[in-house]
Each structure stands twice: as C-alpha cells, then as structure tokens.
Short mmCIF file of all heavy atoms in Angstrom, two decimals:
data_model
loop_
_atom_site.label_atom_id
_atom_site.label_comp_id
_atom_site.label_asym_id
_atom_site.label_seq_id
_atom_site.Cartn_x
_atom_site.Cartn_y
_atom_site.Cartn_z
N LYS A 1 86.10 101.72 107.88
CA LYS A 1 85.04 102.16 106.95
C LYS A 1 84.73 101.12 105.89
O LYS A 1 83.68 101.19 105.23
CB LYS A 1 85.45 103.46 106.27
CG LYS A 1 85.54 104.65 107.21
CD LYS A 1 84.19 105.05 107.74
CE LYS A 1 84.25 106.28 108.59
NZ LYS A 1 82.93 106.73 109.05
N GLY A 2 85.63 100.16 105.71
CA GLY A 2 85.37 99.08 104.77
C GLY A 2 85.69 99.38 103.32
O GLY A 2 85.94 100.54 102.94
N PRO A 3 85.65 98.37 102.46
CA PRO A 3 86.03 98.50 101.06
C PRO A 3 85.18 99.49 100.27
O PRO A 3 85.64 100.10 99.30
CB PRO A 3 85.87 97.09 100.50
CG PRO A 3 86.09 96.20 101.69
CD PRO A 3 85.47 96.94 102.84
N GLY A 4 83.91 99.70 100.66
CA GLY A 4 83.05 100.63 99.93
C GLY A 4 83.58 102.05 99.95
O GLY A 4 83.52 102.77 98.94
N TYR A 5 84.11 102.47 101.09
CA TYR A 5 84.69 103.81 101.23
C TYR A 5 85.90 103.94 100.32
O TYR A 5 86.08 104.93 99.60
CB TYR A 5 85.07 104.01 102.69
CG TYR A 5 85.45 105.42 103.10
CD1 TYR A 5 84.58 106.20 103.84
CD2 TYR A 5 86.70 105.95 102.80
CE1 TYR A 5 84.93 107.48 104.26
CE2 TYR A 5 87.06 107.21 103.21
CZ TYR A 5 86.18 107.99 103.94
OH TYR A 5 86.54 109.26 104.36
N ALA A 6 86.74 102.90 100.35
CA ALA A 6 87.94 102.91 99.51
C ALA A 6 87.59 102.94 98.02
O ALA A 6 88.19 103.70 97.24
CB ALA A 6 88.82 101.69 99.80
N LYS A 7 86.60 102.15 97.64
CA LYS A 7 86.21 102.12 96.23
C LYS A 7 85.64 103.45 95.79
O LYS A 7 85.85 103.87 94.62
CB LYS A 7 85.21 101.00 95.95
CG LYS A 7 84.90 100.80 94.47
CD LYS A 7 84.05 99.58 94.21
CE LYS A 7 83.84 99.37 92.72
NZ LYS A 7 83.07 100.45 92.09
N ALA A 8 84.90 104.13 96.66
CA ALA A 8 84.37 105.45 96.30
C ALA A 8 85.52 106.41 96.01
O ALA A 8 85.42 107.22 95.07
CB ALA A 8 83.51 105.99 97.44
N PHE A 9 86.60 106.34 96.77
CA PHE A 9 87.79 107.14 96.51
C PHE A 9 88.40 106.79 95.16
O PHE A 9 88.65 107.66 94.31
CB PHE A 9 88.82 106.93 97.62
CG PHE A 9 90.11 107.68 97.41
CD1 PHE A 9 90.33 108.87 98.09
CD2 PHE A 9 91.10 107.19 96.58
CE1 PHE A 9 91.52 109.57 97.90
CE2 PHE A 9 92.29 107.88 96.39
CZ PHE A 9 92.51 109.08 97.05
N LEU A 10 88.61 105.52 94.93
CA LEU A 10 89.25 105.05 93.69
C LEU A 10 88.41 105.42 92.47
O LEU A 10 88.95 105.90 91.47
CB LEU A 10 89.47 103.55 93.76
CG LEU A 10 90.39 103.04 94.88
CD1 LEU A 10 90.27 101.54 95.02
CD2 LEU A 10 91.84 103.45 94.62
N ASP A 11 87.11 105.24 92.57
CA ASP A 11 86.21 105.56 91.45
C ASP A 11 86.24 107.05 91.14
O ASP A 11 86.21 107.44 89.98
CB ASP A 11 84.79 105.13 91.80
CG ASP A 11 84.57 103.64 91.76
OD1 ASP A 11 85.45 102.91 91.23
OD2 ASP A 11 83.54 103.17 92.28
N ARG A 12 86.26 107.86 92.20
CA ARG A 12 86.26 109.32 91.98
C ARG A 12 87.57 109.76 91.32
O ARG A 12 87.52 110.61 90.41
CB ARG A 12 86.06 110.04 93.32
CG ARG A 12 86.06 111.55 93.22
CD ARG A 12 84.98 112.07 92.34
NE ARG A 12 84.90 113.53 92.40
CZ ARG A 12 84.24 114.30 91.55
NH1 ARG A 12 83.58 113.77 90.53
NH2 ARG A 12 84.22 115.62 91.70
N ILE A 13 88.67 109.25 91.75
CA ILE A 13 89.94 109.62 91.11
C ILE A 13 89.95 109.17 89.67
O ILE A 13 90.42 109.93 88.78
CB ILE A 13 91.14 109.00 91.89
CG1 ILE A 13 91.27 109.69 93.25
CG2 ILE A 13 92.43 109.18 91.10
CD1 ILE A 13 91.52 111.17 93.21
N TYR A 14 89.43 108.01 89.38
CA TYR A 14 89.35 107.56 87.98
C TYR A 14 88.46 108.46 87.17
O TYR A 14 88.78 108.81 86.02
CB TYR A 14 88.86 106.10 87.93
CG TYR A 14 88.74 105.56 86.53
CD1 TYR A 14 89.80 105.60 85.66
CD2 TYR A 14 87.55 104.99 86.10
CE1 TYR A 14 89.71 105.11 84.36
CE2 TYR A 14 87.43 104.49 84.80
CZ TYR A 14 88.52 104.56 83.94
OH TYR A 14 88.39 104.07 82.66
N GLU A 15 87.33 108.88 87.76
CA GLU A 15 86.42 109.81 87.06
C GLU A 15 87.11 111.12 86.74
O GLU A 15 86.94 111.68 85.65
CB GLU A 15 85.19 110.05 87.92
CG GLU A 15 84.21 111.05 87.30
CD GLU A 15 83.09 111.44 88.23
OE1 GLU A 15 83.03 110.91 89.36
OE2 GLU A 15 82.27 112.32 87.87
N LEU A 16 87.89 111.63 87.68
CA LEU A 16 88.53 112.93 87.54
C LEU A 16 89.74 112.92 86.61
O LEU A 16 90.02 113.90 85.94
CB LEU A 16 88.98 113.48 88.91
CG LEU A 16 87.84 113.84 89.88
CD1 LEU A 16 88.44 114.19 91.25
CD2 LEU A 16 87.01 114.99 89.36
N THR A 17 90.46 111.81 86.59
CA THR A 17 91.76 111.79 85.89
C THR A 17 91.83 110.82 84.74
O THR A 17 92.72 110.95 83.87
CB THR A 17 92.88 111.41 86.88
OG1 THR A 17 92.70 110.02 87.29
CG2 THR A 17 92.87 112.30 88.10
N GLY A 18 90.93 109.83 84.69
CA GLY A 18 91.06 108.79 83.69
C GLY A 18 92.15 107.79 84.01
O GLY A 18 92.48 106.93 83.19
N VAL A 19 92.72 107.88 85.21
CA VAL A 19 93.80 107.00 85.65
C VAL A 19 93.29 106.12 86.81
O VAL A 19 92.65 106.63 87.73
CB VAL A 19 95.02 107.81 86.14
CG1 VAL A 19 96.10 106.87 86.68
CG2 VAL A 19 95.57 108.67 85.01
N LYS A 20 93.55 104.83 86.74
CA LYS A 20 93.14 103.93 87.83
C LYS A 20 94.26 103.86 88.87
O LYS A 20 95.36 103.37 88.57
CB LYS A 20 92.82 102.55 87.28
CG LYS A 20 91.55 102.57 86.41
CD LYS A 20 90.93 101.21 86.25
CE LYS A 20 89.58 101.33 85.56
NZ LYS A 20 88.88 100.03 85.44
N PRO A 21 93.98 104.32 90.09
CA PRO A 21 95.02 104.29 91.12
C PRO A 21 95.28 102.88 91.62
O PRO A 21 94.46 101.97 91.45
CB PRO A 21 94.41 105.15 92.27
CG PRO A 21 93.18 105.79 91.68
CD PRO A 21 92.75 104.91 90.55
N LEU A 22 96.43 102.70 92.27
CA LEU A 22 96.70 101.51 93.06
C LEU A 22 96.13 101.73 94.47
O LEU A 22 95.90 102.87 94.87
CB LEU A 22 98.20 101.26 93.15
CG LEU A 22 98.97 100.97 91.85
CD1 LEU A 22 100.45 100.81 92.15
CD2 LEU A 22 98.42 99.75 91.16
N ILE A 23 95.94 100.64 95.20
CA ILE A 23 95.56 100.75 96.61
C ILE A 23 96.60 100.00 97.43
O ILE A 23 96.97 98.85 97.12
CB ILE A 23 94.15 100.22 96.89
CG1 ILE A 23 93.77 100.41 98.36
CG2 ILE A 23 93.95 98.80 96.44
CD1 ILE A 23 92.30 100.21 98.67
N TYR A 24 97.12 100.68 98.45
CA TYR A 24 98.12 100.11 99.35
C TYR A 24 97.44 99.65 100.62
O TYR A 24 96.61 100.37 101.21
CB TYR A 24 99.17 101.18 99.69
CG TYR A 24 100.08 100.82 100.86
CD1 TYR A 24 101.31 100.22 100.65
CD2 TYR A 24 99.69 101.07 102.17
CE1 TYR A 24 102.14 99.89 101.73
CE2 TYR A 24 100.51 100.77 103.25
CZ TYR A 24 101.73 100.16 103.01
OH TYR A 24 102.55 99.83 104.07
N MET A 25 97.79 98.43 101.08
CA MET A 25 97.27 97.94 102.37
C MET A 25 98.16 96.81 102.85
O MET A 25 98.90 96.18 102.08
CB MET A 25 95.82 97.48 102.23
CG MET A 25 95.61 96.26 101.37
SD MET A 25 93.85 95.83 101.16
CE MET A 25 93.35 96.98 99.89
N SER A 26 98.04 96.53 104.16
CA SER A 26 98.79 95.41 104.72
C SER A 26 98.14 94.10 104.27
O SER A 26 96.95 94.06 103.94
CB SER A 26 98.79 95.49 106.24
OG SER A 26 97.49 95.24 106.76
N ASN A 27 98.92 93.05 104.32
CA ASN A 27 98.42 91.77 103.85
C ASN A 27 97.24 91.27 104.70
O ASN A 27 96.35 90.59 104.21
CB ASN A 27 99.53 90.73 103.85
CG ASN A 27 99.14 89.46 103.17
OD1 ASN A 27 98.79 88.46 103.82
ND2 ASN A 27 99.13 89.47 101.84
N SER A 28 97.22 91.64 105.97
CA SER A 28 96.09 91.22 106.82
C SER A 28 94.79 91.87 106.36
O SER A 28 93.73 91.23 106.38
CB SER A 28 96.36 91.57 108.28
OG SER A 28 96.50 92.98 108.46
N VAL A 29 94.85 93.12 105.92
CA VAL A 29 93.64 93.81 105.41
C VAL A 29 93.23 93.20 104.08
O VAL A 29 92.04 93.09 103.78
CB VAL A 29 93.89 95.33 105.28
CG1 VAL A 29 92.67 96.03 104.71
CG2 VAL A 29 94.26 95.91 106.64
N VAL A 30 94.21 92.82 103.27
CA VAL A 30 93.90 92.14 102.01
C VAL A 30 93.01 90.93 102.25
O VAL A 30 92.04 90.67 101.51
CB VAL A 30 95.20 91.71 101.29
CG1 VAL A 30 94.88 90.79 100.10
CG2 VAL A 30 95.99 92.92 100.82
N ASN A 31 93.30 90.21 103.32
CA ASN A 31 92.64 88.92 103.54
C ASN A 31 91.45 88.98 104.50
O ASN A 31 90.65 88.03 104.55
CB ASN A 31 93.67 87.91 104.08
CG ASN A 31 94.62 87.46 102.98
OD1 ASN A 31 94.27 86.66 102.13
ND2 ASN A 31 95.83 88.00 103.00
N ASN A 32 91.31 90.07 105.24
CA ASN A 32 90.23 90.15 106.24
C ASN A 32 88.98 90.85 105.72
O ASN A 32 87.98 90.95 106.46
CB ASN A 32 90.71 90.84 107.50
CG ASN A 32 91.71 90.01 108.29
OD1 ASN A 32 91.76 88.80 108.12
ND2 ASN A 32 92.50 90.66 109.13
N TYR A 33 88.99 91.38 104.49
CA TYR A 33 87.87 92.07 103.92
C TYR A 33 87.60 91.56 102.51
O TYR A 33 88.47 90.99 101.86
CB TYR A 33 88.13 93.60 103.88
CG TYR A 33 88.21 94.22 105.24
CD1 TYR A 33 89.41 94.19 105.96
CD2 TYR A 33 87.11 94.84 105.81
CE1 TYR A 33 89.49 94.77 107.22
CE2 TYR A 33 87.17 95.44 107.07
CZ TYR A 33 88.39 95.40 107.76
OH TYR A 33 88.45 95.97 109.02
N ASP A 34 86.38 91.79 102.06
CA ASP A 34 85.98 91.36 100.71
C ASP A 34 86.28 92.48 99.72
O ASP A 34 85.55 93.49 99.65
CB ASP A 34 84.49 91.01 100.69
CG ASP A 34 84.04 90.50 99.32
OD1 ASP A 34 84.90 90.36 98.42
OD2 ASP A 34 82.83 90.23 99.15
N TRP A 35 87.30 92.30 98.91
CA TRP A 35 87.75 93.31 97.96
C TRP A 35 87.32 92.97 96.53
O TRP A 35 87.84 93.52 95.56
CB TRP A 35 89.26 93.46 98.02
CG TRP A 35 89.73 94.01 99.33
CD1 TRP A 35 90.23 93.32 100.38
CD2 TRP A 35 89.69 95.38 99.72
NE1 TRP A 35 90.53 94.17 101.42
CE2 TRP A 35 90.20 95.44 101.05
CE3 TRP A 35 89.29 96.56 99.11
CZ2 TRP A 35 90.31 96.65 101.75
CZ3 TRP A 35 89.38 97.77 99.82
CH2 TRP A 35 89.90 97.80 101.11
N THR A 36 86.34 92.08 96.40
CA THR A 36 85.94 91.61 95.08
C THR A 36 85.58 92.75 94.12
O THR A 36 86.02 92.80 92.97
CB THR A 36 84.77 90.64 95.19
OG1 THR A 36 85.13 89.56 96.04
CG2 THR A 36 84.38 90.11 93.83
N LYS A 37 84.78 93.71 94.59
CA LYS A 37 84.32 94.80 93.73
C LYS A 37 85.49 95.71 93.31
O LYS A 37 85.49 96.22 92.20
CB LYS A 37 83.23 95.60 94.41
CG LYS A 37 81.92 94.84 94.57
CD LYS A 37 80.84 95.72 95.19
CE LYS A 37 79.53 94.93 95.32
NZ LYS A 37 78.46 95.77 95.94
N VAL A 38 86.43 95.87 94.20
CA VAL A 38 87.62 96.68 93.84
C VAL A 38 88.45 95.96 92.79
O VAL A 38 88.94 96.57 91.84
CB VAL A 38 88.44 96.99 95.11
CG1 VAL A 38 89.76 97.67 94.75
CG2 VAL A 38 87.66 97.85 96.07
N VAL A 39 88.60 94.67 92.94
CA VAL A 39 89.36 93.89 91.96
C VAL A 39 88.65 93.87 90.61
O VAL A 39 89.27 94.05 89.55
CB VAL A 39 89.60 92.45 92.47
CG1 VAL A 39 90.25 91.60 91.41
CG2 VAL A 39 90.45 92.48 93.74
N GLN A 40 87.31 93.69 90.65
CA GLN A 40 86.54 93.66 89.39
C GLN A 40 86.61 95.01 88.67
O GLN A 40 86.50 95.05 87.44
CB GLN A 40 85.09 93.31 89.71
CG GLN A 40 84.90 91.85 90.11
CD GLN A 40 83.47 91.56 90.54
OE1 GLN A 40 82.69 92.46 90.86
NE2 GLN A 40 83.13 90.27 90.62
N ALA A 41 86.79 96.10 89.40
CA ALA A 41 86.93 97.40 88.79
C ALA A 41 88.36 97.67 88.28
O ALA A 41 88.65 98.75 87.78
CB ALA A 41 86.53 98.51 89.77
N ASP A 42 89.23 96.68 88.46
CA ASP A 42 90.59 96.72 87.89
C ASP A 42 91.50 97.73 88.58
O ASP A 42 92.31 98.38 87.95
CB ASP A 42 90.53 97.00 86.38
CG ASP A 42 91.84 96.61 85.68
OD1 ASP A 42 92.51 95.70 86.15
OD2 ASP A 42 92.14 97.24 84.63
N TYR A 43 91.38 97.83 89.91
CA TYR A 43 92.34 98.64 90.68
C TYR A 43 93.42 97.72 91.22
O TYR A 43 93.14 96.74 91.89
CB TYR A 43 91.64 99.37 91.82
CG TYR A 43 90.60 100.35 91.35
CD1 TYR A 43 89.25 100.17 91.60
CD2 TYR A 43 90.98 101.50 90.63
CE1 TYR A 43 88.29 101.08 91.15
CE2 TYR A 43 90.04 102.41 90.16
CZ TYR A 43 88.70 102.20 90.43
OH TYR A 43 87.77 103.10 89.98
N GLY A 44 94.66 98.03 90.93
CA GLY A 44 95.79 97.17 91.30
C GLY A 44 96.17 97.27 92.76
O GLY A 44 95.84 98.24 93.46
N LEU A 45 96.89 96.27 93.25
CA LEU A 45 97.26 96.17 94.65
C LEU A 45 98.73 96.46 94.87
O LEU A 45 99.60 95.97 94.15
CB LEU A 45 96.94 94.75 95.15
CG LEU A 45 97.42 94.42 96.58
CD1 LEU A 45 96.68 95.27 97.60
CD2 LEU A 45 97.25 92.92 96.86
N TRP A 46 99.00 97.25 95.91
CA TRP A 46 100.33 97.42 96.46
C TRP A 46 100.30 96.73 97.81
O TRP A 46 99.70 97.24 98.77
CB TRP A 46 100.66 98.91 96.56
CG TRP A 46 101.99 99.24 97.20
CD1 TRP A 46 102.97 98.38 97.60
CD2 TRP A 46 102.46 100.56 97.49
NE1 TRP A 46 104.04 99.06 98.14
CE2 TRP A 46 103.74 100.43 98.08
CE3 TRP A 46 101.93 101.83 97.34
CZ2 TRP A 46 104.50 101.54 98.51
CZ3 TRP A 46 102.67 102.93 97.75
CH2 TRP A 46 103.94 102.78 98.31
N ASN A 47 100.85 95.55 97.89
CA ASN A 47 100.76 94.70 99.08
C ASN A 47 101.90 95.01 100.04
O ASN A 47 103.05 95.18 99.64
CB ASN A 47 100.83 93.23 98.64
CG ASN A 47 100.82 92.26 99.82
OD1 ASN A 47 99.88 92.26 100.60
ND2 ASN A 47 101.86 91.43 99.92
#
C-alpha cells in the first residue's frame, strides 16, 4: 500500500491521542520506499 497508507494511520493516531507513534519495519522496507513525509512529520523508526 506504500508509505501514504502508513502515514494516514500515524496521522490519525496522533490526531486522536496527541501521541506520535513509532513505525516498525524491516531494514529492506526502510530503504526500498520513500519515507520522507513520514520522517518530516516526526514519526520515529523501530528498525
């Protein structure tokens, strides 16, 4: 589904709770997709 789907989840949880979640993914996914917008929104990584 790509980073946009993940960011929609992260943004919604932040809207509901005021807490910025971490996102867990394998290192290959970290490097095979463009996560710039997720990083700019200050969501931390669990690698």
Side-chain angles (χ1 to χ4, degrees):
K1 294 292 184 176
Y5 192 105
K7 187 173 184 295
F9 177 100
L10 298 167
D11 288 345
R12 178 61 172 166
I13 291 299
Y14 179 53
E15 177 188 358
L16 293 173
T17 68
V19 176
K20 292 199 171 183
L22 297 178
I23 183 168
Y24 166 95
M25 67 184 80
S26 69
N27 190 260
S28 62
V29 178
V30 170
N31 288 284
N32 290 340
Y33 293 83
D34 182 3
W35 294 100
T36 302
K37 291 183 179 179
V38 172
V39 174
Q40 289 174 343
D42 198 28
Y43 296 114
L45 174 65
W46 177 5
N47 177 59

